[in-house]
């Protein structure tokens, strides 16, 4: 079942998104060589608790952490760890915030110290591909329009698009229909309708798009050790421009 959200529900999701954005802005200040993703994990758990929120993914299907922290060749669902980040690493921090029942989901890839030009370009193209997908996310368009926009741009720039993990509907639970592939054919797939809330979260690889799973049963990584980047927003479908609930380039109102 696909739910379309009321104005009240969207307003509550926006409050969760505001807190999530503030969390990412604080993480951006923390990222540097020598910090551990377990330190970031602890900060996120404490920061959300301080503001009356919880990390929705903690406990989801047995997942133990408030964040996913995926480094270099890890595509997604990396576990926070005690090993320090190194100069030149890239790390994706992904989280889902629950604030009084409103959910918001966003991942962001960060450069650790001085990242080489290819790594910077991977990050830039992945972020741009996210916004190209968002441009297509409007009432009357189809899911294939989103995936096609991302895939054609990413492949033109020389990167591959992960197929094994997709965006999804969100609210009132963490993962809902529809699932949102980041590849596809224009004009194909489910038609988008006003009031849908979805995530778009392309994962782009330097090499092959295929993934393999670590022994922990959660962490996916590239099959050829190429690096992977991911950027994700939670958005609302409207009859005009989509609303990006988790947009970072904005002023956040004071939290209640």
């Amino acid at each position: 079942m696909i739910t379309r959200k009321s104005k009240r529900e969207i307003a509550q999701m926006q409050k969760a998104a505001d807190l999530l954005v503030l969390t990412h802005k604080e993480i951006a200040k923390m990222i540097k060589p020598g910090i551990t993703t377990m330190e970031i994990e602890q900060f996120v758990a404490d920061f959300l608790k301080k503001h009356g929120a919880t990390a929705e993914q903690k406990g989801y299907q047995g997942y133990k952490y408030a964040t996913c922290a995926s480094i270099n060749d890890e595509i997604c669902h990396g576990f926070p760890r005690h090993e320090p980040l190194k100069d030149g690493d890239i790390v994706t921090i992904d989280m889902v915030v629950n604030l009084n029942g409103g959910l918001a989901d966003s991942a962001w890839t960060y450069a650790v110290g001085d990242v080489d030009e290819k790594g910077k370009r991977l990050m830039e193209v992945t972020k741009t591909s996210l916004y190209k997908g968002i441009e297509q996310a409007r009432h009357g368009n189809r899911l294939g329009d989103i995936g096609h926009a991302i895939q054609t741009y990413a492949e033109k720039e020389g990167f591959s698009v992960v197929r094994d993990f997709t965006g999804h509907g969100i609210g009132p639970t963490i993962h809902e229909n529809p699932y949102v592939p980041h590849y596809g054919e224009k004009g194909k797939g489910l038609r988008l309708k006003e009031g849908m809330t979805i995530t778009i979260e392309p994962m782009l690889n330097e090499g092959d798009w295929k993934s393999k799973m670590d022994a922990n049963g959660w962490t996916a990584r590239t099959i050829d050790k190429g690096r992977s980047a991911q950027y994700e927003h939670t958005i609302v479908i409207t009859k005009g421009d989509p609303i990006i609930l988790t947009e970072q380039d904005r002023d956040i109102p004071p939290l209640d």
Side-chain angles (χ1 to χ4, degrees):
M1 184 177 70
I2 298 171
T3 62
R4 297 164 69 181
K5 308 304 185 296
S6 67
K7 289 182 179 180
R8 180 190 61 80
E9 290 171 313
I10 291 169
Q12 191 58 55
M13 291 178 72
Q14 183 66 77
K15 290 180 180 179
D18 290 347
L19 178 56
L20 192 158
V21 169
L22 285 178
T23 310
H24 267 299
K25 288 186 174 186
E26 291 300 315
I27 291 170
K29 299 174 188 176
M30 299 171 66
I31 296 287
K32 60 182 179 181
I35 196 170
T36 72
T37 51
M38 189 59 76
E39 289 177 274
I40 295 169
E41 161 74 14
Q42 190 60 56
F43 164 77
V44 170
D46 292 344
F47 192 74
L48 296 185
K49 183 178 180 180
K50 175 183 175 182
H51 291 286
T54 57
E56 185 72 5
Q57 67 221 52
K58 190 171 185 177
Y60 176 74
Q61 295 185 356
Y63 190 76
K64 297 179 180 179
Y65 304 102
T67 62
C68 298
S70 305
I71 303 168
N72 294 332
D73 68 327
E74 294 173 341
I75 296 171
C76 59
H77 306 151
F79 286 7
R81 68 208 76 172
H82 293 285
E83 292 79 13
L85 293 171
K86 301 186 298 295
D87 188 61
D89 285 341
I90 64 172
V91 56
T92 301
I93 306 296
D94 186 9
M95 73 190 83
V96 185
V97 170
N98 183 330
L99 181 62
N100 299 322
L103 300 186
D105 187 358
S106 181
W108 217 250
T109 300
Y110 297 95
V112 182
D114 294 322
V115 173
D116 62 39
E117 289 304 315
K118 189 174 180 182
K120 290 177 183 176
R121 188 163 170 274
L122 169 65
M123 293 170 63
E124 178 183 353
V125 171
T126 307
K127 186 176 179 181
T128 300
S129 75
L130 166 63
Y131 284 95
K132 287 189 176 293
I134 290 172
E135 288 172 2
Q136 299 299 317
R138 57 185 66 228
H139 179 88
N141 280 6
R142 294 184 179 273
L143 287 176
D145 298 327
I146 297 173
H148 178 79
I150 292 169
Q151 182 182 11
T152 53
Y153 171 72
E155 292 179 351
K156 177 175 69 70
E157 296 296 325
F159 297 102
S160 63
V161 180
V162 172
R163 272 40 165 204
D164 298 327
F165 302 93
T166 69
H168 52 86
I170 182 170
T173 57
I174 187 170
H175 285 165
E176 300 184 350
N177 288 323
Y179 288 90
V180 185
H182 305 114
Y183 61 96
E185 296 183 46
K186 193 172 183 178
K188 300 289 186 180
L190 180 80
R191 193 176 296 280
L192 299 167
K193 295 183 179 180
E194 183 180 20
M196 288 181 178
T197 50
I198 63 172
T199 72
I200 301 176
E201 47 186 296
M203 289 149 266
L204 269 55
N205 296 346
E206 289 180 316
D208 198 291
W209 64 262
K210 296 183 180 70
S211 67
K212 59 183 178 181
M213 194 66 64
D214 280 2
N216 64 27
W218 280 96
T219 305
R221 66 178 69 238
T222 63
I223 61 170
D224 52 15
K225 300 188 183 301
R227 289 172 294 187
S228 186
Q230 179 189 12
Y231 292 85
E232 173 186 17
H233 277 314
T234 298
I235 69 167
V236 182
I237 304 300
T238 77
K239 289 188 176 178
D241 293 335
I243 300 169
I244 306 174
L245 297 178
T246 50
E247 180 58 72
Q248 294 190 22
D249 188 19
R250 61 189 174 91
D251 295 326
I252 304 298
L255 298 173
D256 295 335

